[in-house]
Amino acid sequence: MDSTPEALTTIAKTLPLEGTTSFLATTMTNPSSNIEHALRNAAIYHQKNNHPGQAEMIGIHLEGPFIKQNRAGAQPTSSIIRPDVSTFKHYQSLANDLIKLVTLAPELDDQTELTRYLYENGMIASVGHS
C-alpha cells in the first residue's frame, strides 16, 4: 500500500524473473487517506519509471474498499465503504486515470451505478469479496 518508488521498482525488477512482463499496482481496503497516498505514488511512479528489463506498470487495480463486510478476507473491515461513483472519480483523479480494474461487491452497488460507470468508461468491474 505504500507504492513508494522503491517498492514498485522492486516489484518491476522481480516480476520478469517469474516470466511476468507487466502488472497492475494493487491497493487494498484501507482508510481513504492511505488509498489516496498509494494512488498518488503509483501515478508518480508510472510517469517516471519504465526501464528495459523491468516489468511495466500498466495501471492500477483498486481492490476494495467497495466490498462486503462479512466477506472481507484479509481486508480491514473498518475501512469498507459502499460503492460510490464520486469516491471512485476522486480516486481515479488522484491516480491520473490509471485505475483499470476495480474489485467490488456488486450486490452493494445501488442501481449498479458504479459498475455501470466502470463499464461505460472502459474499466473492469471484478466481483470480489462478495
Side-chain angles (χ1 to χ4, degrees), residues 50-69:
N50 195 359
H51 303 290
Q54 293 184 11
E56 179 184 7
M57 189 190 105
I58 58 172
I60 296 171
H61 170 198
L62 187 70
E63 185 175 0
F66 312 120
I67 60 175
K68 202 165 180 179
Q69 286 280 337

Side-chain angles (χ1 to χ4, degrees), residues 27-127:
T27 65
M28 64 181 287
T29 301
N30 257 238
S32 187
S33 60
N34 292 2
I35 293 171
E36 291 170 358
H37 178 74
L39 294 172
R40 277 190 213 97
N41 283 346
I44 291 167
Y45 174 86
H46 183 263
Q47 283 182 318
K48 297 181 178 181
N49 293 280
N50 195 359
H51 303 290
Q54 293 184 11
E56 179 184 7
M57 189 190 105
I58 58 172
I60 296 171
H61 170 198
L62 187 70
E63 185 175 0
F66 312 120
I67 60 175
K68 202 165 180 179
Q69 286 280 337
N70 65 341
R71 301 276 189 223
Q75 308 290 322
T77 58
S78 61
S79 297
I80 291 173
I81 60 174
R82 293 193 64 79
D84 178 69
V85 173
S86 66
T87 299
F88 175 78
K89 285 180 177 180
H90 172 67
Y91 287 161
Q92 185 69 303
S93 174
L94 296 173
N96 289 342
D97 295 323
L98 287 170
I99 299 172
K100 308 294 182 197
L101 172 67
V102 179
T103 298
L104 56 84
E107 67 273 20
L108 302 178
D109 190 9
D110 297 332
Q111 310 296 321
T112 65
E113 186 180 348
L114 180 55
T115 303
R116 184 179 300 114
Y117 178 83
L118 296 172
Y119 173 76
E120 290 173 352
N121 288 279
M123 291 163 273
I124 297 169
S126 175
V127 175

